[in-house]
Amino acid sequence: MITPIRWEADRLLLLDQTLLPVEERVREHTRWRDVAESIRSLVVRGAPAIGCAAAFGVALAARESRARDGETLLADLEEAFKGLAATRPTAVNLFRALDRMRAVASAHQALPVPALQLRLLGEAQAILEEDLAANHALGAHGADLVPEGARILTHCNAGALATAGYGTAVGVIRAAHERGKVALVWVDETRPVMQGSRLTAWEMVKEGIPHKLISDVAAGFVMKRGEVDLVVTGADRIAANGDTANKIGTYSVAVLARHHGVPFYVAAPFSTIDASVPSGAAIPIEERDASEVRGTAGRQTAPAESPVYNPAFDVTPAELITSIITERGIFRPPYSFT
Amino acid sequence: MITPIRWEADRLLLLDQTLLPVEERVREHTRWRDVAESIRSLVVRGAPAIGCAAAFGVALAARESRARDGETLLADLEEAFKGLAATRPTAVNLFRALDRMRAVASAHQALPVPALQLRLLGEAQAILEEDLAANHALGAHGADLVPEGARILTHCNAGALATAGYGTAVGVIRAAHERGKVALVWVDETRPVMQGSRLTAWEMVKEGIPHKLISDVAAGFVMKRGEVDLVVTGADRIAANGDTANKIGTYSVAVLARHHGVPFYVAAPFSTIDASVPSGAAIPIEERDASEVRGTAGRQTAPAESPVYNPAFDVTPAELITSIITERGIFRPPYSFT
């Protein structure tokens, strides 16, 4: 079992995803600022996992405070809420987790400080456990959609590493594999950060799921050869109309799937749906540093003088999405989540 | 001016494209086997450039021979013809160049050996010069198709480095840039070997052509934002019906272009058209080593245990190609090249 995030005694342990698959190293965090830095630098990544880590970040901030009463503690937490919220803009789970931690702090501010600290830690743990349960539930729903002998293509890593464990898109693959339905998983390597080759392929090896790694550019050719039965990806934020922000390249895969008549599924916990955002046009898209594209694993592969456009996400319009798989069931177009 | 291939005194000089853009190093070749190895290891790559290099490889083989008469020399050359032909299967230019060198050797076998050796060297030089002239001519034709203020996307490197100089797809871009028509070139990085980021971006920097480097996965998103006016790529082999083999990922770009109503052009010398191949289904597709996908620039980015599918090329069906630009003019569907 892959455990990317766990609390132990007085600290948050995160499996350092920047070092996989070459090295499995766990980083310890006792300060919220270190958690924020680990989110920013992709030690922990994946929308649900970011939410869980940020919740524990707030719990750490509460323990770091020297406040003697709840009101002062709440004031102390403000910096952590702002700092953690400023790490990454696209995934909605981050903001949901912070809102939830804030609501708990606010509702229980009359408690003695040690009790309030413990309550916040308990809430972070609850967020983690709920995410894990949601993954298992949506995995089971999704597996119903997978035909026998399926050849499944996935992009990026929406696996155990991207969540509290088990995974969303990879949760569907895991559940289908447990039922003996998976013939092959095509793993897109997912430039520029290589979450497919570094993380999803690593999970496939760990679980013994048959897979083949391909460059992102080969996805269309593999579909053209008739070797993909369905695509499933995760989501960083789903708008009220079903438009879905996910890792850059997801949109291209969705267009290719449509061109080849291949079903394209999104798998995500229901909390990924952001009803406050009417369509994908309103989802902020994070742009990351040019160095991610100018090189890989620390080696330069482009001229230092070349300008770079490096969006970390794109938006797939609802009309290209066959179904959205959540723990509450499977949604089909036209999407309505109320 | 970028000169990837040139003959000097008694040796073939190739700019080592595996080291770009970090280092500009020229490799000297005095033996045909070293030329074959340089083709295989991508020191020289790009369909027209491979053809030119192979022709000089035959000229070197003729100089290496100790034959005292033309007939013996021709027998000696057989090993070089076979060895050079076995380097890379997809680009037709390689086989065309070898056929042409064989025909010259055969036609002139009555010559004294030194004269025959010189004749073969002259033929290789002619192939190089004809390719350069074809690039300039097709570049001018292609530039006619480029609108003012164009934002052009290209995949892989069909530039000076892929040819005798100037380039095919990049030749069109160069010619359009000379006419002041190019607002921006989107350079796909082109995994797994990074010919876009390592080579095309380097050419853009050298020429001062405005460009932005993107991960391949961002091409669809950039089109969706309405920021691409046309796509132009090179070709490794064009079937009689217009189906075009080119660098892996070209097919995906063509599907994306069609989805977004963006014209998709192929630019190649007329010799890239292989009338003996009725459709793309008959074009052999080279598969390269898994290590190209399991890492970049020598750094591991995937589990060693993960199986890999690494086709170096794909085939874009003729119906997705708006026009094919050659030195003999512009061809439009339904394609007929006779």
Side-chain angles (χ1 to χ4, degrees):
Chain A
M1 189 179 155
I2 299 164
T3 310
I5 303 171
R6 71 175 194 276
W7 183 267
E8 207 172 87
D10 57 349
R11 57 199 60 203
L12 176 65
L13 306 185
L14 298 176
L15 180 58
D16 187 343
Q17 301 190 30
T18 66
L19 302 176
L20 290 174
V22 178
E23 190 183 341
E24 295 181 31
R25 191 194 298 172
V26 171
R27 293 201 180 275
E28 304 191 349
H29 302 74
T30 53
R31 301 183 318 160
W32 76 262
R33 284 179 200 283
D34 296 338
V35 176
E37 183 49 34
S38 281
I39 294 172
R40 196 176 295 110
S41 66
L42 311 183
V43 166
V44 60
R45 34 60 56 201
I50 290 171
C52 295
F56 282 108
V58 174
L60 282 173
R63 294 163 69 100
E64 288 177 72
S65 165
R66 299 189 176 184
R68 304 222 165 174
D69 60 82
E71 199 176 343
T72 314
L73 181 62
L74 251 69
D76 281 1
L77 290 182
E78 271 316 304
E79 204 185 349
F81 281 123
K82 281 195 192 120
L84 288 160
T87 50
R88 302 198 63 197
T90 302
V92 74
N93 317 60
L94 172 64
F95 307 105
R96 279 211 192 292
L98 294 176
D99 287 350
R100 187 163 153 183
M101 294 299 284
R102 189 198 297 272
V104 165
S106 189
H108 297 275
Q109 64 178 301
L111 286 176
V113 165
L116 182 48
Q117 289 169 329
L118 209 59
R119 182 70 192 73
L120 287 166
L121 182 59
E123 193 68 17
Q125 190 63 36
I127 289 172
L128 186 84
E129 283 160 18
E130 286 168 28
D131 184 60
L132 196 55
N135 288 341
H136 279 277
L138 74 85
H141 288 311
D144 292 343
L145 298 172
V146 176
E148 296 291 335
R151 297 156 305 173
I152 307 174
L153 186 140
T154 190
H155 187 71
C156 195
N157 173 267
L161 292 167
T163 61
Y166 204 71
T168 55
V170 174
V172 171
I173 291 170
R174 274 199 168 81
H177 176 65
E178 286 159 16
R179 297 187 200 172
K181 286 174 150 184
V182 178
L184 185 69
V185 177
W186 291 105
V187 178
D188 272 6
E189 64 177 14
T190 317
R191 278 286 290 162
V193 182
M194 302 296 208
Q195 294 92 338
S197 53
R198 292 193 305 105
L199 308 179
T200 301
W202 181 81
E203 291 197 29
M204 296 295 110
V205 169
K206 286 258 168 187
E207 299 275 350
I209 300 176
H211 66 289
K212 270 191 192 167
L213 179 63
I214 51 173
S215 297
D216 302 298
V217 290
F221 187 52
V222 168
M223 288 188 204
K224 181 165 175 258
R225 288 164 53 123
E227 298 183 36
V228 179
D229 300 304
L230 64 104
V231 176
V232 61
T233 76
D236 286 80
R237 194 185 302 213
I238 300 171
N241 72 343
D243 290 354
T244 294
N246 192 48
K247 179 53 51 198
I248 185 72
T250 303
Y251 170 65
S252 293
V253 173
V255 170
L256 290 165
R258 172 59 51 91
H259 185 83
H260 295 90
V262 171
F264 179 91
Y265 300 112
V266 168
F270 195 81
S271 58
T272 308
I273 298 159
D274 184 355
S276 76
V277 167
S279 82
I283 300 176
I285 298 295
E286 176 182 7
E287 287 186 36
R288 293 185 62 87
D289 198 77
S291 61
E292 288 184 353
V293 180
R294 287 210 196 98
T296 308
R299 296 287 176 94
Q300 186 189 344
T301 51
E305 304 89 332
S306 285
V308 166
Y309 175 53
N310 183 22
F313 302 93
D314 59 27
V315 174
T316 300
E319 62 263 27
L320 294 178
I321 302 170
T322 309
S323 307
I324 296 176
I325 302 160
T326 79
E327 73 277 23
R328 298 196 194 171
I330 293 161
F331 294 83
R332 293 188 171 79
Y335 293 103
S336 165
F337 302 106
T338 47
Chain B
M1 190 179 153
I2 299 165
T3 309
I5 303 170
R6 71 176 193 277
W7 184 267
E8 207 172 89
D10 57 350
R11 57 199 60 203
L12 176 65
L13 305 185
L14 298 175
L15 180 58
D16 187 343
Q17 301 191 30
T18 66
L19 302 177
L20 289 174
V22 177
E23 190 183 340
E24 294 181 32
R25 192 194 298 172
V26 170
R27 292 200 180 276
E28 302 191 351
H29 303 72
T30 54
R31 302 183 317 161
W32 76 262
R33 285 179 199 282
D34 296 336
V35 176
E37 183 49 34
S38 281
I39 294 172
R40 196 177 294 110
S41 65
L42 312 182
V43 165
V44 61
R45 32 61 55 200
I50 290 171
C52 294
F56 282 108
V58 174
L60 282 173
R63 295 164 69 99
E64 288 176 72
S65 165
R66 299 189 177 184
R68 306 226 164 169
D69 60 83
E71 199 175 344
T72 313
L73 181 62
L74 252 69
D76 282 358
L77 287 184
E78 271 316 303
E79 203 184 349
F81 281 123
K82 281 194 191 120
L84 288 161
T87 51
R88 302 198 63 196
T90 303
V92 74
N93 317 60
L94 171 64
F95 308 105
R96 279 212 192 293
L98 294 175
D99 286 351
R100 187 162 154 184
M101 294 299 283
R102 188 197 298 271
V104 165
S106 189
H108 297 275
Q109 63 179 300
L111 286 177
V113 166
L116 182 47
Q117 289 168 330
L118 210 58
R119 184 67 193 74
L120 286 167
L121 182 59
E123 193 68 16
Q125 190 63 36
I127 289 173
L128 186 84
E129 282 161 18
E130 287 168 27
D131 184 59
L132 196 56
N135 288 341
H136 280 276
L138 73 85
H141 289 310
D144 293 342
L145 298 172
V146 175
E148 295 291 335
R151 295 156 306 172
I152 307 174
L153 186 141
T154 190
H155 188 72
C156 195
N157 173 267
L161 292 167
T163 62
Y166 203 72
T168 54
V170 174
V172 172
I173 291 170
R174 273 199 169 81
H177 175 66
E178 286 159 15
R179 297 187 201 171
K181 286 175 151 186
V182 178
L184 186 69
V185 177
W186 292 104
V187 179
D188 272 6
E189 64 177 16
T190 316
R191 279 284 290 159
V193 182
M194 302 297 208
Q195 294 92 338
S197 54
R198 293 193 304 103
L199 308 179
T200 301
W202 180 80
E203 291 197 30
M204 296 295 111
V205 169
K206 286 258 168 189
E207 298 276 349
I209 299 177
H211 66 290
K212 270 192 191 166
L213 179 63
I214 51 173
S215 296
D216 302 298
V217 290
F221 187 51
V222 169
M223 287 187 204
K224 182 165 173 259
R225 288 164 52 123
E227 297 183 36
V228 179
D229 300 305
L230 64 104
V231 176
V232 61
T233 76
D236 286 81
R237 193 185 303 212
I238 300 172
N241 71 344
D243 291 354
T244 295
N246 193 47
K247 180 53 51 197
I248 185 73
T250 303
Y251 170 65
S252 293
V253 173
V255 170
L256 290 165
R258 172 59 52 92
H259 184 82
H260 295 90
V262 171
F264 179 91
Y265 300 112
V266 168
F270 195 82
S271 58
T272 309
I273 298 159
D274 184 355
S276 76
V277 166
S279 81
I283 300 176
I285 298 296
E286 177 183 7
E287 287 186 37
R288 293 185 63 86
D289 197 77
S291 61
E292 288 184 353
V293 179
R294 288 210 195 98
T296 308
R299 296 286 174 95
Q300 186 190 344
T301 52
E305 303 90 331
S306 285
V308 166
Y309 175 53
N310 184 23
F313 302 93
D314 59 27
V315 174
T316 299
E319 61 263 29
L320 294 178
I321 302 169
T322 310
S323 307
I324 295 176
I325 302 160
T326 78
E327 73 276 24
R328 298 197 195 170
I330 293 162
F331 294 83
R332 294 188 172 79
Y335 292 103
S336 165
F337 302 106
T338 48

